[in-house]
Amino acid sequence: MLPGLAYFLLFHYGALVGNVIAFKEYVPFDGLWGSPWTGLGNFRRMFEDTAFWDAVFNTVWIAVLQLVFYFPVPLGLALLLHSLTRSSVRRFVQSVAYLPHFISWVIVVALFQQLLGDTGLLNSGLDGMGLHTVDIIGNPDAFKPLVVAQVIWKDAGWGTIIFLAALAQVDEQQYEAAAIDGAGPWRRFWHVTLPAIRPVIVLLLIMRLGDILSVGFEQMLLQRDAVGPEASEIIDTFVYYQGIVGGDYGFAAAAGLFKGVVGALLVYAANKVAHRLGEQGVYK
């Protein structure tokens, strides 16, 4: 356990000390403690900045779309895989579904551009048939559904792992008893499968809520220029351009700290709701 413990202490808990620059006018040459103290000045500027609130809106909107459309997909795919009787077919489908997870976002975005871009495969086919072409990649209105579709294609297979492990623990005798009592597939799912895996669903949902403001920095950064910051700017890219690119480190740190505090509060609130529903949640 020591290497893992050292990793978290050094790169996660130790790094929390750096959040002090959110309350300073940080100058790299003056150092962490030599930079002048500004108190809540960076936060006041942040809350008055319309670009920050635009980034928050885009982040929340994309996160809600991912929660509604992406989160159920791994569960449905796991149920389909679990229903396959031949283990060889199941392993093959699992391998194919897992593969996109190991492809970098650079390749995924390039692949979607080659398929759906202005000069991509789709438009080449439409143009060849004399039909009107559509630039999906460069359309700001289509950006948010597009990034959700990219996440589903890339990570839905990988997300089935935990659900498959939970489904493997369900007692087969319960399915047999329900079938003998006349329960069809839907009732077996509702009264046997769903109660058995509900704790896992609640746990993953709480973890997803805690990470709801992290909707994919690299994915958004790679496509930001195609649709513009109005449609694609999220909190992570806002922090990057304000801090790393613009050099306003204290202001960027304030935005990052705001995101972390909101995520922690969401985990705490969702865990309390889970306790009220009789589930264990992330912690007791």
Side-chain angles (χ1 to χ4, degrees), residues 5-16:
L5 182 61
Y7 165 78
F8 280 101
L9 289 176
L10 182 62
F11 293 105
H12 287 264
Y13 292 100
L16 290 176

Side-chain angles (χ1 to χ4, degrees), residues 45-46 49-52 55 217 224 233-256:
R45 278 204 299 142
M46 180 186 72
D49 191 345
T50 56
F52 169 75
F217 166 73
R224 185 176 184 269
E233 190 83 295
I234 59 173
I235 295 177
D236 287 337
T237 56
F238 179 83
V239 170
Y240 170 76
Y241 279 101
Q242 294 294 326
I244 304 301
V245 177
D248 197 349
Y249 299 103
F251 181 66

Side-chain angles (χ1 to χ4, degrees), residues 43-65:
F43 291 93
R44 281 193 291 268
R45 278 204 299 142
M46 180 186 72
F47 291 132
E48 294 171 358
D49 191 345
T50 56
F52 169 75
W53 289 113
D54 289 340
V56 172
F57 173 79
N58 286 334
T59 304
V60 172
W61 187 225
I62 293 172
V64 170
L65 289 176

